[in-house]
Amino acid sequence: TIYDFHTVDIVDCEDPHGRVASGKAEPVLQFAPNPAKDRIFADLQLPEEAFVTITLINSSGVAVRILEEGVLNAGEFGFVWDVEPLPPGAYQIRVVAGRSVTSHQVIIIH
């Protein structure tokens, strides 16, 4: 019997800005109100430092606004996002932190 073994290296990946993603961050985003009329108040809990991108995506899958982007330390962060200029409809808030990705639906009304 002949066995063929392959070595697989698991490495961290880098974001376009050269920072290394650890893959351990699991962000928790809570926001209100939903539906939102003019502003969204959000809290993000991050268990470890990570490069975070929070994007608002319309119902067609198009990113209409980057709400937040940058390296955040572990902890809790509060944000206020102005959504009054956006057309009413269903949107997704996508949170990418390290290798973790979560999405949340929000409705914008006027």
Side-chain angles (χ1 to χ4, degrees), residues 6-87:
H6 296 278
T7 302
V8 177
D9 293 326
I10 300 174
V11 297
D12 287 336
C13 64
E14 291 187 11
D15 74 3
H17 305 286
R19 291 174 283 264
V20 174
S22 69
K24 297 178 185 173
E26 295 180 15
V28 176
L29 180 71
Q30 297 177 329
F31 61 92
N34 192 13
K37 188 172 185 176
D38 53 1
R39 288 184 190 90
I40 296 174
F41 300 91
D43 287 318
L44 176 67
Q45 297 173 3
L46 201 58
E48 68 178 15
E49 180 181 283
F51 184 82
V52 176
T53 303
I54 304 174
T55 309
L56 189 66
I57 300 168
N58 68 15
S59 59
S60 298
V62 176
V64 294
R65 183 180 295 170
I66 294 177
L67 300 170
E68 304 293 332
E69 185 173 56
V71 176
L72 297 177
N73 293 322
E76 188 170 331
F77 303 88
F79 304 104
V80 178
W81 301 312
D82 181 23
V83 295
E84 189 172 22
L86 297 171

Side-chain angles (χ1 to χ4, degrees), residues 25-30 44-45 53-55 57 92-97 99-105:
E26 295 180 15
V28 176
L29 180 71
Q30 297 177 329
L44 176 67
Q45 297 173 3
T53 303
I54 304 174
T55 309
I57 300 168
Q92 282 190 10
I93 299 173
R94 181 176 297 154
V95 181
V96 178
R99 292 183 187 165
S100 296
V101 179
T102 59
S103 292
H104 309 274
Q105 185 169 349

Side-chain angles (χ1 to χ4, degrees), residues 1-8:
T1 305
I2 298 173
Y3 295 97
D4 187 15
F5 293 97
H6 296 278
T7 302
V8 177

